[in-house]
């Protein structure tokens, strides 16, 4: 379907994923880090509510920054559990 081709590839393209952060930045602050967890290197995305006390409300670890951003934003929007 030609309409689906217009949807950005948020979870696989860092420029598209950054649009997610830009869209939601009025609700949260974001920190992206690349570090190793034991042996494997991975990306971490931390989301903090604007009115939070400095403790991350969402923490996601993934193989790519774009996927970490998207999953963290999805979890944040759906409500942290």
């Amino acid at each position: 379907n030609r309409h689906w081709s217009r949807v950005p590839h948020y979870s696989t393209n860092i420029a598209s994923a950054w649009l997610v952060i830009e869209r939601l930045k009025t609700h949260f602050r974001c920190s992206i880090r690349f570090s190793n967890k034991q042996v494997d290197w991975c990306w971490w995305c931390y989301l903090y509510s604007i009115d939070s006390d400095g403790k991350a409300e969402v923490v996601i670890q993934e193989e790519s920054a774009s996927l970490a951003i998207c999953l963290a934003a999805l979890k944040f929007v759906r409500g942290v559990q």
Side-chain angles (χ1 to χ4, degrees):
N1 190 330
R2 63 185 171 99
H3 296 289
W4 287 107
S5 65
R6 296 183 194 152
V7 176
H9 297 272
Y10 295 108
S11 65
T12 58
N13 181 292
I14 191 62
S16 296
W18 205 258
L19 295 174
V20 172
I21 291 175
E22 290 297 320
R23 174 80 173 155
L24 299 176
K25 71 180 180 182
T26 58
H27 303 287
F28 68 84
R29 293 175 290 124
C30 180
S31 173
I32 307 292
R33 298 182 184 160
F34 185 66
S35 64
N36 68 341
K37 182 179 182 182
Q38 297 169 346
V39 176
D40 298 328
W41 286 86
C42 59
W43 288 93
W44 294 82
C45 182
Y46 302 85
L47 296 183
Y48 306 85
S49 177
I50 292 295
D51 57 355
S52 78
D53 59 0
K55 182 178 177 185
E57 295 185 38
V58 175
V59 178
I60 297 289
Q61 172 243 329
E62 279 297 331
E63 293 180 7
S64 72
S66 55
L67 184 56
I69 290 168
C70 289
L71 291 177
L74 181 62
K75 188 172 183 178
F76 189 86
V77 171
R78 293 180 74 188
V80 179
Q81 299 172 355

